[in-house]
Amino acid sequence: MPKAPKTSKAKKVQKKVADRKKNPLFVKDAKNFRIGNDVQPKRDLSRYVRWPRYILLHRQKKILLQRIKVPAAIHQFSKTLDKNQSSKVYSLLKKYAPETKTEKKQRLVKAAESKAQNQKTDSKKVTVLKFGLNHVTTLVETKKAKLVLIAYDVDPIELVVWLPQLCRRQEVPFAFVKNKARLGALVHQKTATCVALTEVRKEDQAEFDNLARDLRQHYNENHELLRTIGGGQVGIKSKHQQEALKKALELEELKKTSQ
């Protein structure tokens, strides 16, 4: 009898696949990522990005401040208010934000109209936030400032490094906050190194007193801030080297004791 023609394994598998009943609910839709077909999936390419120089410098500075010993006078700027405290401070200071250009224009127009009609104008002094390093310094020196907020990311830091000590000497409550852009937003500026509050309304007095008491304990009366030196953290490679050396020394000690 003539032998039946041999069929390859691949053909048998294809036949089996063809014989299977296809479920219309689950249609196989394989993606093709070749040129001109499906869009490639998103990948994290941050490792391969050529970052701008200012970002590189910012990251290098951060690492450098972790490695080298940082004097206490500079290290204290890293001890900023936490999220809850800063939200309380900012919610209070927003009430004392200075008027914008449009608001000032409207006020002056209204005052001119009332003056033309021989009406009395409301010439009460408005309590607002004071900003500008020279202005705030003068307010602290004359003890007119009741609260001072200093940005932690002022560059160069020498501009404000002496201000905390001046506040301690004049017994003015102060705090370090994140960041200069957020402080600037309070006073309608791009950035602000520091802001000061000189007066508080009666309705906010109780809240302000509690806040000032907390800040005094945390900053003015906290002498550890001026004793703690920052930095001194080793990198991951140095850490592994130190651990390996420590392990080798321990093994040597064991060998000596066992002999």
Side-chain angles (χ1 to χ4, degrees), residues 250-259:
E250 284 173 0
L251 283 168
E252 270 188 37
E253 288 292 323
L254 279 169
K255 283 177 184 177
K256 284 178 184 176
T257 51
S258 61
Q259 284 174 359

Side-chain angles (χ1 to χ4, degrees), residues 46-225:
S46 57
R47 185 181 171 83
Y48 308 103
V49 173
R50 189 181 175 86
W51 294 104
R53 188 163 175 75
Y54 77 96
I55 291 175
L56 290 174
L57 288 170
H58 186 266
R59 289 175 179 176
Q60 287 166 359
K61 185 185 173 184
K62 189 184 177 184
I63 297 295
L64 196 65
L65 288 172
Q66 288 173 357
R67 300 284 179 270
I68 61 172
K69 283 187 178 180
V70 182
I74 294 171
H75 181 63
Q76 65 178 337
F77 280 81
S78 62
K79 306 294 180 185
T80 54
L81 291 175
D82 60 26
K83 195 176 180 182
N84 292 330
Q85 288 174 319
S86 57
S87 62
K88 285 177 186 176
V89 171
Y90 280 115
S91 63
L92 176 67
L93 295 187
K94 273 179 187 176
K95 298 175 186 177
Y96 297 92
E99 59 187 0
T100 59
K101 285 182 179 179
T102 51
E103 287 171 349
K104 187 180 179 181
K105 192 177 179 181
Q106 287 171 3
R107 179 174 61 80
L108 291 172
V109 168
K110 198 175 180 182
E113 285 173 357
S114 57
K115 193 176 181 182
Q117 293 170 4
N118 295 325
Q119 292 177 354
K120 283 188 178 180
T121 55
D122 188 23
S123 59
K124 275 187 179 180
K125 191 182 178 182
V126 185
T127 53
V128 292
L129 279 172
K130 310 295 181 185
F131 62 97
L133 189 56
N134 289 341
H135 191 190
V136 171
T137 306
T138 308
L139 292 170
V140 173
E141 283 173 343
T142 54
K143 292 188 178 182
K144 288 180 181 177
K146 291 190 174 180
L147 174 68
V148 176
L149 293 186
I150 307 164
Y152 85 118
D153 58 342
V154 178
D155 190 37
I157 197 72
E158 287 84 1
L159 289 170
V160 290
V161 77
W162 44 269
L163 190 55
Q165 193 57 32
L166 181 66
C167 291
R168 287 188 186 99
R169 189 179 176 183
Q170 299 298 91
E171 296 179 351
V172 176
F174 72 95
F176 303 113
V177 291
K178 295 178 181 180
N179 50 23
K180 59 184 178 182
R182 202 172 174 193
L183 274 186
L186 283 173
V187 291
H188 314 300
Q189 301 288 322
K190 282 184 181 178
T191 56
T193 54
C194 53
V195 295
L197 193 62
T198 51
E199 289 178 40
V200 184
R201 300 188 200 102
K202 285 182 181 178
E203 60 266 24
D204 298 323
Q205 190 64 49
E207 187 186 350
F208 175 78
D209 290 341
N210 291 332
L211 199 64
R213 189 180 66 250
D214 292 343
L215 294 182
R216 273 201 182 93
Q217 288 174 357
H218 200 66
Y219 291 102
N220 292 58
E221 296 163 10
N222 187 3
H223 300 294
E224 284 300 313
L225 279 177

Side-chain angles (χ1 to χ4, degrees), residues 11-24:
K11 283 183 179 179
K12 283 179 182 178
V13 172
Q14 283 176 1
K15 196 177 181 184
K16 280 182 182 178
V17 171
D19 290 343
R20 279 182 204 160
K21 287 181 180 179
K22 288 184 178 179
N23 191 339

